[in-house]
Amino acid sequence: ETVDPEKAKRREKQEKDKQFKDERIAKQKEKEEAQLASEREQTKQLVKEMKEAINDSTKFEAFRRTSVDYREGKINARQYYSLLLTTLPKNRVRDLFPKMVAILPDPLKRIKLEKVHAEFLLWESLYPSLGSQSTTSSSSSSSSSSSLAAKNQ
C-alpha cells in the first residue's frame, strides 16, 4: 500500500503542532504553579509580619477575619482601612499596606483600597497635626488615624 506524501506531511505537521501546543500548555502550567507558590510565600511572609506588628493573637485573628470579610465584599474599603489603622501600629502601615494590597486577588478591591489609602495620605499631609498626635502612643495613633479615616468618609 502506498502512502500519499501529502497526507504524510500533513500528519507530521499535525503531530508537531500538537507537540508544540502540549509543550506550551505544560510551560504555562509550570509558570502558573510557580506564580501560585510565590503568592503563597508572600502571603505567609505577610502573615508573619502582621502577627509581629499586631503582637496580640486576639487582635490578629479579628483582623484576619475582617480581611476575609473585605475580600468577600461584606465590608467596604473605607471600613477595612479604618480597621487597619486601628489595628496596626502607625509606623508599620506604610510598609505593610502595599504588601496587603498586592496579595488581594480582586483587582477592583485593590484599586478601591489604594484609593482610600491615597485619600488618607492626602488628609494626613494637609493636616499633619492629626498624624503627629499619634506619635505619643499606639492607642492614640489608632484613634487619631481612625478619626481621620472617618472624616475622610
Side-chain angles (χ1 to χ4, degrees), residues 65-123:
R65 283 192 306 273
T66 304
S67 296
V68 171
D69 288 346
Y70 179 64
R71 282 194 314 272
E72 292 177 351
K74 294 177 183 175
I75 62 172
N76 66 37
R78 289 189 194 285
Q79 292 167 317
Y80 182 60
Y81 191 77
S82 181
L83 177 72
L84 180 141
L85 292 177
T86 59
T87 304
L88 281 178
K90 184 176 171 117
N91 64 340
R92 295 304 310 270
V93 172
R94 287 188 193 258
D95 68 308
L96 292 175
F97 179 78
K99 297 174 185 179
M100 292 173 60
V101 171
I103 66 167
L104 277 171
D106 183 339
L108 186 56
K109 290 199 184 321
R110 284 194 299 263
I111 291 167
K112 287 179 179 180
L113 199 54
E114 287 172 335
K115 181 180 177 203
V116 171
H117 181 63
E119 290 171 355
F120 172 78
L121 293 176
L122 176 63
W123 276 95

Side-chain angles (χ1 to χ4, degrees), residues 50-51 54-66 83 87:
M50 295 289 292
K51 282 181 177 179
I54 295 170
N55 200 25
D56 178 321
S57 60
T58 305
K59 282 184 180 181
F60 174 79
E61 189 55 33
F63 184 75
R64 189 195 63 74
R65 283 192 306 273
T66 304
L83 177 72
T87 304

Side-chain angles (χ1 to χ4, degrees), residues 4 14 17 24 31 43 45-47 50 56 61-63 67 81 85 95 97 101 103 126 137-139 149:
D4 182 6
Q14 287 173 341
D17 288 348
R24 268 195 3 231
K31 182 180 174 183
T43 300
Q45 181 61 32
L46 178 60
V47 167
M50 295 289 292
D56 178 321
E61 189 55 33
F63 184 75
S67 296
Y81 191 77
L85 292 177
D95 68 308
F97 179 78
V101 171
I103 66 167
L126 292 173
S137 76
S138 73
S139 64

Side-chain angles (χ1 to χ4, degrees), residues 20-40:
F20 178 73
K21 183 179 175 185
D22 290 347
E23 287 172 3
R24 268 195 3 231
I25 290 171
K27 284 180 183 179
Q28 181 64 28
K29 187 175 180 180
E30 192 176 294
K31 182 180 174 183
E32 289 170 1
E33 288 171 356
Q35 185 176 355
L36 283 173
S38 173
E39 289 171 3
R40 280 191 294 271

